[in-house]
Amino acid sequence: MTQIDSVKTHLWDDINQTAVKAGLDPEKFGPVHREVVDLMVESLLNTNSPTTPSERSWSAWLNGFNPLRRYPAESETTSPAAVRPIIICGVPGTGKTTFLYVLDTVFRRMFALPDLINPQMSKKGGRIHTVPKRHFLGRPISLLSVRRWAELLHFFAWDIERHRFDAADQESFIAQTLRPMRLILADEVEMTGYSPTIPELARHGLLVVGTSNQTEFKQLESEQIPAHIFFFEGVDMRVGDPDDAVVTGSDPARKLFDQTAQRPAAAYGPLPYQTTQVDEMAIILADFKTAVQAPFLESQWVDFFQTAYKLALGPQAALNPESQVILLLEQFSLDALRTDFNGIIRFVSLFDAIEQLCLGVLVGHPDQDPKLSREALQHMKVTVHAARGVTEAVKKKTVVGVDRAASRIGQAGYRARQQVTDHRRQTTDLKPRNGV
C-alpha cells in the first residue's frame, strides 16, 4: 500500500465513524462514495502542493501532522490552474447532501482547512451580508447552496455606490477568504438560474464538490469547466422510518407528553412551548399546527432549540451533538398540511434544523393515532402534484422537500426511541414500542 493509499484509508475510516455518530448507516456506503473521497484527496493534494509530497511528509501526516498546512502563501505562487468540480447526482433521498455534511466535517478536520464563512460577512463601507449557516452534529459547517454562494460573491463584487461590478473586490474576497478554505461544498447545483459561480471558483483553484438532482450542466460546458460526475442510487442511508416517531394512545411514551404539558409555558416569538427534564434529557413540547405556522427559517429553529434547551436544563447548559433532546409535537396531523404549500415548506425547514442538531422527535395526538409513514408521505406528494392553481416549480420544490423530510423524520424518531431506552433506568414505565 502506498502512502497516499494509507491516507485515503485513514480518511475513509474517519468518515465511517462520523457517519455512525450522526445516526447514519455506513453499511449503505458503496464504491461510488469511496471513489468520491479518493478523488477529493487526490485533487486537494495536487492543488495544494507544488511538488509531490515525500514519503517522510506522508508519514508525518499519518502521525498527526498535516503537510497541507504548509502549502505556499498566495504571494509565493503563480495563478492556480482550474480544478475540475465534483458533482454528485441522484434523485432525492439517496443521501447526497447528507454525505456532503460528513465530508465537510471530516475533510476540514483532517486537512486542517478553515471555514471562513461567518453568519455575518462584512465588506468595506460597513455593509453586512447574512449567511444562514447549516449545522451537522450540532456544529456549523461550510456547506451552502449554490444560490447562497452566488449571493455571497455578488455581495463582495457589486459596488452599490457606483452601481457596477468590481472585479478587484471579488478577486480580493476569493483570494483572502475562499482560497485558504481550499474546499467548497455546494448543494443544489442546477443547470441554469445562477451566475457562473462554480466555474468562477474552479478557475481560482478551488475544489468544488456539489450535489444535484439533475444530470446535465450546460453552464459548466459553456464555461469549459468539465465536472467529474458521480451517481448515487439506492436506499436512504439514514436509520429509522417515519412511523418510528409516532406515539399512539397505548404507547408508554405518551406519558412524556402528559408530564411535559403540566409544566409552565414559555414563548419563543409566536410559538408557545413547554419543557421538562428527565435525568439529563431535555423534553420540549409544542403544538404541531402552531409550530408549522411559525414563520421560522432553519437558523431561527436552531436558536429556538438552543433557547428551549437552556430553559429545560439551566442557563449554563450548552446544546451539543451529545445532548439528549426530544421534541414532542402534539396535535400532529398530516392532513393539515396537504394543501398548505407554505406549511409544508416550514415543516421541511423544521426537520432540516432537527437533523442539524441531532434531536429526537416524537409526534402524538390526544384523540387519534397520527398517520406518519412513508406511504402517508407518498400520498401527500400525490396530492401536491394534483393541486390546481400552483406552478410546477412550486410543486417540484414541495415534493423534493417532502422526500427530504421523510428520511429526517425517521432518523429523528429512531433517535428519540434510543434516548428513551437510555433513560429507562430513570423512567422505567417509558418502554419504547417494539423494543426499539
Side-chain angles (χ1 to χ4, degrees):
M1 178 183 291
T2 66
Q3 293 287 356
I4 190 170
D5 288 337
S6 297
V7 172
K8 292 177 179 177
T9 299
H10 191 68
L11 276 167
W12 185 247
D13 290 343
D14 198 340
I15 285 170
N16 279 263
Q17 293 169 13
T18 302
V20 171
K21 188 176 182 180
L24 308 178
D25 183 1
E27 293 293 326
K28 296 177 182 177
F29 290 159
V32 177
H33 295 78
R34 184 64 184 266
E35 289 179 37
V36 171
V37 171
D38 289 351
L39 183 57
M40 288 176 64
V41 171
E42 294 167 4
S43 182
L44 284 172
L45 293 176
N46 289 335
T47 57
N48 278 339
S49 181
T51 58
T52 302
S54 66
E55 181 174 341
R56 180 178 178 182
S57 65
W58 283 121
S59 298
W61 194 98
L62 289 169
N63 287 318
F65 175 72
N66 185 350
L68 298 190
R69 296 176 183 172
R70 302 184 61 187
Y71 60 80
E74 185 64 31
S75 60
E76 300 173 348
T77 63
T78 58
S79 298
V83 178
R84 291 182 63 183
I86 298 172
I87 301 179
I88 302 170
C89 303
V91 300
T94 48
K96 304 181 299 298
T97 300
T98 304
F99 192 57
L100 286 199
Y101 281 15
V102 177
L103 296 183
D104 192 312
T105 300
V106 173
F107 270 82
R108 294 217 178 277
R109 178 174 66 244
M110 300 297 291
F111 280 86
L113 303 177
D115 175 8
L116 301 180
I117 306 302
N118 300 315
Q120 288 192 325
M121 303 292 290
S122 61
K123 63 179 296 187
K124 59 184 180 181
R127 290 180 60 211
I128 300 293
H129 179 72
T130 300
V131 181
K133 296 283 287 184
R134 302 190 193 189
H135 291 70
F136 180 64
L137 290 174
R139 296 185 174 88
I141 57 176
S142 70
L143 173 69
L144 301 175
S145 68
V146 173
R147 179 170 64 87
R148 296 292 187 190
W149 285 115
E151 290 173 353
L152 195 55
L153 287 177
H154 182 270
F155 169 72
F156 282 96
W158 188 255
D159 188 325
I160 61 172
E161 294 181 355
R162 292 179 290 178
H163 301 286
R164 68 179 180 85
F165 177 83
D166 191 324
D169 280 356
Q170 177 171 283
E171 289 291 321
S172 177
F173 168 66
I174 293 176
Q176 296 179 20
T177 302
L178 299 187
R179 201 167 290 161
M181 293 174 62
R182 308 306 302 170
L183 175 64
I184 301 295
L185 283 301
D187 203 13
E188 302 170 11
V189 178
E190 309 298 343
M191 291 189 298
T192 58
Y194 306 117
S195 59
T197 304
I198 292 181
E200 187 70 29
L201 298 176
R203 275 193 290 265
H204 281 80
L206 292 159
L207 172 60
V208 180
V209 182
T211 68
S212 180
N213 297 330
Q214 302 179 6
T215 57
E216 295 182 359
F217 307 96
K218 294 182 180 179
Q219 191 179 82
L220 292 175
E221 295 174 4
S222 65
E223 297 284 340
Q224 297 184 333
I225 304 290
H228 297 282
I229 307 295
F230 294 89
F231 295 90
F232 278 13
E233 298 177 336
V235 297
D236 188 352
M237 66 178 65
R238 295 183 181 89
V239 297
D241 287 302
D243 55 9
D244 286 332
V246 174
V247 174
T248 63
S250 60
D251 193 324
R254 180 68 216 178
K255 289 190 176 181
L256 281 177
F257 288 79
D258 299 335
Q259 292 169 1
T260 311
Q262 302 303 314
R263 301 291 297 166
Y268 182 88
L271 178 63
Y273 67 97
Q274 293 155 290
T275 66
T276 192
Q277 179 180 357
V278 177
D279 194 14
E280 296 301 319
M281 182 169 60
I283 309 298
I284 304 169
L285 174 67
D287 178 80
F288 170 70
K289 294 180 181 179
T290 305
V292 295
Q293 291 302 318
F296 294 164
L297 301 175
E298 286 178 42
S299 57
Q300 292 166 301
W301 277 119
V302 169
D303 186 65
F304 162 73
F305 288 121
Q306 292 172 335
T307 300
Y309 185 74
K310 289 179 179 295
L311 180 62
L313 297 187
Q316 302 304 315
L319 183 58
N320 60 63
E322 285 70 43
S323 300
Q324 301 287 297
V325 184
I326 297 179
L327 171 66
L328 307 178
L329 291 173
E330 185 66 287
Q331 301 283 344
F332 183 87
S333 173
L334 278 183
D335 290 336
L337 294 180
R338 291 192 186 278
T339 57
D340 183 357
F341 286 83
N342 289 330
I344 293 173
I345 295 302
R346 288 191 291 267
F347 179 63
V348 172
S349 294
L350 168 60
F351 275 90
D352 284 345
I354 285 167
E355 182 197 40
Q356 292 177 29
L357 295 176
C358 299
L359 308 184
V361 174
L362 295 174
V363 304
H365 196 290
D367 303 320
Q368 60 191 38
D369 291 344
K371 293 180 174 60
L372 182 60
S373 62
R374 293 191 184 275
E375 292 74 19
L377 291 166
Q378 182 65 32
H379 188 265
M380 174 181 282
K381 294 195 298 180
V382 173
T383 303
V384 169
H385 281 301
R388 296 182 179 181
V390 183
T391 67
E392 289 302 317
V394 171
K395 290 181 181 180
K396 180 179 179 181
K397 179 181 179 181
T398 305
V399 167
V400 169
V402 172
D403 280 327
R404 190 166 77 242
S407 60
R408 283 159 169 72
I409 294 168
Q411 184 183 50
Y414 179 88
R415 185 180 291 120
R417 294 289 173 182
Q418 292 295 102
Q419 291 176 5
V420 169
T421 299
D422 291 342
H423 289 81
R424 279 187 300 179
R425 66 182 184 276
Q426 298 295 327
T427 51
T428 56
D429 58 342
L430 294 179
K431 186 177 181 180
R433 295 179 303 127
N434 302 324
V436 176

